[in-house]
Amino acid sequence: MSNTTARPPAAFVISITPFDRDGHIDEAGFRGHLRRLAAAGIGVYIGGSGSGEGYTLTPAETRRLLDIGVEELKGKVPVRAMGVEPRTPRQMVEFLALCKAAGVDAAQIYSLDVGHGHPPLQEEVASYLTEALESTDLPVVISTHQSVGYRVPVETISRLLETYPHIIEVNCSHQDLRYLADIVDATRGRVGVFVGGPVQALVGWALGGQGYLCSEGNLAPHLCMSLVRAYAANDLEGVMRAYGKIVRLHGLIYANGGIRATKGALIDLGLPGGYPRKPRAELPAAQQKQVRAAIDALDIATLEGWRG
């Protein structure tokens, strides 16, 4: 096995947002959670629309989360803003201004979602990305995400890279491996490419990508980073061991409600994580017990330093 990417392999976790039972941000819990992530050495995105429940956040809440993230993580691990899929270019421009003011290391430019299931035209996608990029000099990551029902054209990504040097990476969250390969080939030597989710981590590296994004790192950040470190060390046995556990953890979490399962497990383990914010509901107690048993069966407690 060899490390085919010219950039050091890496992983980022899309951080959860801890809320108390009344739906308020649990700032102490958030700080405790971020310290766990920093101790594992994993990069962190804050305020994402999925794991971070970003669509439930007000702009003021997002800014507060970013401020806390910068306070806790700056200089320790990469701290970035993820945000949500915007409806208009103006929303992304405003988000990037907020990120710049907060002092994060970088921000993601999410794929445009014009709403009601209607994908934008390719020229509209290009115009949106151009307007967002022109609005800031903050380092940015271009996202092409399956959630919006279309792919940002590879030609558009390549053309933007030629014009805007503050693009540092591309996040590709699609199942189409040919599309992923085309992005890597078009961007090789200019920026890193990250896959959306740990299941594609190995194929992403095989194609020349830099790393992967994950939600699983909220629960097991040391496990997620052990895959990166084993890969960097050409430790095939370590890669297979870590990857097998992460894929099983991924399947377990998403079969049981995603972020509900993650937060339920953190609560059960006595770790900061908080509760889901409405309209999401907590995981039922019986289901939470089953999830905890399955997590225990993966035998990652020692690696993570879990107690109880």
Side-chain angles (χ1 to χ4, degrees):
M1 182 180 68
S2 63
N3 187 346
T4 58
T5 177
R7 298 172 182 273
F12 281 85
V13 59
I14 294 82
S15 177
I16 59 172
T17 303
F19 300 104
D20 63 24
R21 285 192 178 277
D22 294 324
H24 302 121
I25 293 175
D26 178 359
E27 293 194 7
F30 188 47
R31 290 182 185 276
H33 181 67
L34 294 179
R35 289 167 189 165
R36 283 187 64 239
L37 302 182
I42 194 168
V44 181
Y45 276 99
I46 293 171
S49 54
S51 301
E53 299 176 76
Y55 277 110
T56 74
L57 300 170
T58 67
E61 288 175 327
T62 298
R63 173 59 192 270
R64 182 57 185 155
L65 291 174
L66 295 178
D67 286 342
I68 292 172
V70 169
E71 291 171 12
E72 295 291 342
L73 302 176
K74 191 85 167 183
K76 300 173 184 176
V77 295
V79 52
R80 298 179 176 180
M82 178 162 276
V84 303
E85 299 89 334
R87 294 296 201 209
T88 66
R90 176 179 53 80
Q91 289 178 340
M92 180 51 62
V93 168
E94 291 173 350
F95 174 70
L96 292 173
L98 182 150
C99 296
K100 172 83 174 191
V104 294
D105 295 326
Q108 179 179 263
I109 299 179
Y110 242 132
S111 299
L112 180 68
D113 181 359
V114 296
H116 210 57
H118 298 302
L121 300 175
Q122 290 189 9
E123 54 265 35
E124 293 170 339
V125 172
S127 175
Y128 153 71
L129 291 170
T130 299
E131 185 172 343
L133 288 162
E134 290 281 359
S135 75
T136 187
D137 60 358
L138 180 70
V140 294
V141 179
I142 299 296
S143 168
T144 175
H145 201 287
Q146 61 193 11
S147 65
V148 295
Y150 68 89
R151 303 181 301 184
V152 177
V154 176
E155 297 78 10
T156 298
I157 296 172
S158 183
R159 186 168 61 252
L160 292 172
L161 287 174
E162 295 172 358
T163 306
Y164 301 102
H166 56 304
I167 302 173
I168 59 171
E169 285 162 10
V170 175
N171 289 339
C172 177
S173 299
H174 287 272
Q175 301 303 308
D176 185 345
L177 299 184
R178 179 69 262 169
Y179 177 58
L180 172 62
D182 287 345
I183 290 176
V184 172
D185 291 344
T187 61
R188 194 187 299 273
R190 294 188 283 180
V191 300
V193 176
F194 283 74
V195 296
V199 174
Q200 288 190 350
L202 298 189
V203 72
W205 280 322
L207 292 172
Q210 187 176 358
Y212 69 98
L213 312 176
C214 67
S215 180
E216 294 73 17
N218 285 295
L219 189 59
H222 288 280
L223 173 62
C224 291
M225 284 304 296
S226 73
L227 175 61
V228 174
R229 291 168 180 144
Y231 176 74
N234 291 321
D235 174 8
L236 180 59
E237 181 180 353
V239 165
M240 294 298 103
R241 181 172 56 249
Y243 183 70
K245 289 181 183 292
I246 293 170
V247 169
R248 286 182 170 88
L249 181 61
H250 170 85
L252 173 67
I253 289 173
Y254 284 95
N256 288 277
I259 199 63
R260 298 180 186 88
T262 298
K263 288 191 169 183
L266 289 171
I267 292 170
D268 200 48
L269 287 161
L271 298 170
Y275 303 91
R277 180 181 258 184
K278 291 180 179 179
R280 285 188 174 93
E282 294 179 47
L283 201 67
Q287 191 175 0
Q288 182 170 314
K289 184 177 180 180
Q290 293 173 353
V291 169
R292 172 62 189 277
I295 289 173
D296 288 344
L298 289 173
D299 192 28
I300 53 178
T302 300
L303 181 62
E304 296 300 330
W306 293 340
R307 298 291 182 270

